[in-house]
Amino acid sequence: YTNYIGDDTPRGDSVSHLRIHQNVFLNYQYKKIKLQVGGDNCMQQNSDITTGSKMATMYSGLTTLKYQWTNKFAVYGRGEVFHDPDGIMSNKITDYAGINTGYKLWGITAGMEYKPTEESYIRLEGRKLQMDKNQYIFDYNGYENNYRYEIMINAGITFDLLKNVRTKKADGS
């Protein structure tokens, strides 16, 4: 659990924009299955998109399920939602219905992970992001869409810069 409580007033604005942002995550693992569930809730004073004088709210959430098939291979899936109708955390846009709004979207992801070593990984992911029905923010070949499909290959390496320090402390040297 984390939170932020503070005034997020832009420079030169005399109206207070007190922000209360809550973030909760739960990680649970049972044998080869790992579950992660998380969510955010944010409220900001004097920030609604219509009048600028009412409380604005935003929420997001995600759920990830990972199955560690072997020490080197895993598969996973993730679902996520982001709802910021007043645009306090996202961009403010005018949608195709002519309404000023913030981002409202959901997404799903499926992937595979290969770990050639303990300190590295290679991932192949497929994802769909879907905006609200009138929010056409994605451009593909000159056409605007309210959805996007992605296929990604990611690689990463972990560097443990303090490993030698911890090893020396543990063996007394």
Side-chain angles (χ1 to χ4, degrees):
Y1 171 79
T2 60
N3 68 38
Y4 167 80
I5 300 172
D7 193 343
D8 205 37
T9 303
R11 205 171 271 192
D13 193 343
S14 62
V15 178
S16 173
H17 294 90
L18 178 66
R19 178 179 288 181
I20 301 171
H21 192 136
Q22 311 292 318
N23 175 262
V24 176
F25 265 90
L26 169 70
N27 291 304
Y28 177 75
Q29 186 160 353
Y30 179 73
K31 296 184 180 182
K32 294 183 174 192
I33 297 174
K34 183 176 182 180
L35 174 68
Q36 182 181 51
V37 178
D40 290 279
N41 182 50
C42 182
M43 299 178 293
Q44 186 167 295
Q45 193 179 43
N46 300 314
S47 298
D48 72 302
I49 205 163
T50 307
T51 67
S53 63
K54 296 178 184 171
M55 183 76 71
T57 60
M58 163 272 175
Y59 69 84
S60 67
L62 72 86
T63 300
T64 303
L65 187 62
K66 182 177 184 179
Y67 178 69
Q68 193 69 46
W69 188 14
T70 69
N71 286 342
K72 294 194 178 273
F73 290 98
V75 293
Y76 57 91
R78 180 175 61 243
E80 54 201 311
V81 63
F82 182 82
H83 189 80
D84 185 17
D86 291 300
I88 58 174
M89 301 296 281
S90 65
N91 279 339
K92 294 178 183 175
I93 61 171
T94 302
D95 68 14
Y96 270 65
I99 298 170
N100 291 328
T101 185
Y103 287 5
K104 296 177 255 180
L105 70 117
W106 60 268
I108 55 172
T109 303
M112 298 182 297
E113 179 181 80
Y114 170 64
K115 292 182 70 89
T117 68
E118 188 66 30
E119 294 83 21
S120 64
Y121 66 84
I122 300 169
R123 293 182 185 142
L124 175 64
E125 287 188 343
R127 175 182 299 153
K128 178 184 182 182
L129 294 174
Q130 178 72 53
M131 298 296 291
D132 200 40
K133 66 180 178 180
N134 290 316
Q135 294 183 336
Y136 287 73
I137 67 164
F138 301 118
D139 181 60
Y140 182 72
N141 288 337
Y143 294 99
E144 292 182 334
N145 295 297
N146 67 338
Y147 63 90
R148 178 169 77 187
Y149 293 100
E150 302 172 340
I151 295 177
M152 297 166 282
I153 296 176
N154 304 300
I157 299 173
T158 302
F159 296 98
D160 189 351
L161 300 176
L162 299 177
K163 184 176 183 178
N164 290 336
V165 173
R166 284 193 300 273
T167 303
K168 288 180 182 178
K169 279 187 175 181
D171 68 14
S173 55

